[in-house]
Amino acid sequence: MGAHGWSSSRLGFVVCGYLAFFCGQIVPRAEAGCRERESPNCCTGRNNECFEYSKRKTVCYCDTYCQKTGDCCEDYQRVCQISAIDCVVGSWGPWSSCTSQCGVGSTERSRLVSVPPRNGGTPCPDLKQRRGCFGNNAVCSTAKEVAKILPDSFKRNFKDPWRRPHMLMKEEKASYCVYLRVKQASAACKLKLWSSQLMRERLICAECQSDAMSKSNRCGGDGLESTRTFWAAASVPGCHGSWVRELSSEGCRCPPYSVLFV
């Protein structure tokens, strides 16, 4: 290749280099930002994964929190704010009943989302509220009763030897049975054979016979469903505990080795 050919080739490279330089200056590169993000373009709340690179190759964010930190992408207002939809919630529902029938408990209420937030809109506020309450149900007085119990051998088929023939017999009322789950029993209950069966989580059948019934035709302390009540063994000092009633049956008798209400 001659000197003339070499000069022409070199000149061509130089011209192309200058053209490339000027094209880069005149035609700007595509602006990077929220619009270039894969869906979703914008995010609600604080989301450190919701970022993109600016045209200066620095990290910028497209989440709502960037408005507080001042590191939003340049097109955040244009892309995210225009299409942002804030969360809308409905009215509060009624307060629920107290979790405790007797004593300290809690109650709560809730509301539903009518319009979910989109495209960086304001997040939803709390959807549940809870507050304390004090249960004072009509059964609370019953819950305070302490059942006095004895082994079934004390009263089954019992006949009063002191009753005179001319004395009127007391009206015999039908017995009923209550099945109770023992929740707590003191150490003293282990001192007697019959009371040692009153162990935690054991299901006990307690029979209410006519002689033990009050004017309301029930035995005191016969328990409440879903509420812990208390009992005491009448013939074993220091033997006491708590239980929860699971089932009751009218006109029945408990099987052998059960207990009786006194």
Side-chain angles (χ1 to χ4, degrees):
M1 181 181 296
H4 179 72
W6 182 86
S7 299
S8 300
S9 300
R10 184 175 180 180
L11 181 61
F13 281 119
V14 172
V15 171
C16 288
Y18 275 110
L19 287 175
F21 174 78
F22 283 113
C23 286
Q25 294 295 320
I26 297 172
V27 182
R29 291 170 292 180
E31 180 182 330
C34 300
R35 189 177 298 279
E36 278 64 47
R37 272 182 50 78
E38 295 183 3
S39 181
N41 298 107
C42 312
C43 311
T44 59
R46 183 175 184 174
N47 187 344
N48 291 338
E49 301 298 323
C50 190
F51 70 92
E52 191 50 73
Y53 292 98
S54 69
K55 60 184 180 182
R56 298 184 182 87
K57 298 301 180 183
T58 58
V59 174
C60 60
Y61 292 88
C62 301
D63 57 355
T64 310
Y65 194 73
C66 74
Q67 298 176 88
K68 295 182 179 180
T69 54
D71 51 4
C72 298
C73 292
E74 293 184 7
D75 62 350
Y76 176 80
Q77 295 288 340
R78 183 170 65 256
V79 175
C80 299
Q81 293 295 87
I82 295 176
S83 56
I85 299 176
D86 296 336
C87 177
V88 179
V89 296
S91 302
W92 287 107
W95 289 99
S96 65
S97 56
C98 192
T99 55
S100 175
Q101 291 187 8
C102 306
V104 178
S106 63
T107 179
E108 65 178 29
R109 65 177 182 175
S110 60
R111 55 184 175 182
L112 300 176
V113 175
S114 303
V115 179
R118 291 193 292 271
N119 302 328
T122 305
C124 295
D126 291 338
L127 301 178
K128 282 190 175 182
Q129 284 184 341
R130 179 176 293 180
R131 66 183 183 185
C133 59
F134 192 86
N136 192 21
N137 196 286
V139 301
C140 292
S141 57
T142 303
K144 296 176 183 178
E145 295 178 345
V146 179
K148 298 293 192 299
I149 56 174
L150 285 171
D152 62 347
S153 58
F154 269 71
K155 287 291 291 183
R156 189 172 297 280
N157 299 323
F158 174 77
K159 293 183 180 180
D160 184 0
W162 303 104
R163 189 183 66 81
R164 297 182 182 275
H166 66 276
M167 293 175 64
L168 294 175
M169 291 186 65
K170 188 177 179 180
E171 180 186 358
E172 190 75 17
K173 300 175 184 177
S175 300
Y176 68 89
C177 304
V178 184
Y179 288 87
L180 305 111
R181 182 77 61 182
V182 178
K183 293 299 180 182
Q184 186 179 5
S186 63
C189 297
K190 299 178 182 179
L191 299 177
K192 292 289 183 71
L193 180 63
W194 77 270
S195 58
S196 63
Q197 67 174 318
L198 298 167
M199 297 185 298
R200 186 176 180 183
E201 295 303 325
R202 173 168 287 186
L203 190 65
I204 300 295
C205 182
E207 184 175 331
C208 178
Q209 295 184 343
S210 179
D211 288 344
M213 291 182 185
S214 62
K215 293 181 179 180
S216 60
N217 294 332
R218 56 174 291 272
C219 287
D222 59 357
L224 294 169
E225 291 186 11
S226 303
T227 301
R228 184 175 295 203
T229 56
F230 302 94
W231 55 267
S235 63
V236 185
C239 176
H240 54 82
S242 62
W243 53 20
V244 176
R245 187 171 72 180
E246 294 191 356
L247 179 69
S248 61
S249 178
E250 299 294 330
C252 80
R253 289 188 178 275
C254 288
Y257 308 107
S258 301
V259 298
L260 301 173
F261 291 107
V262 177

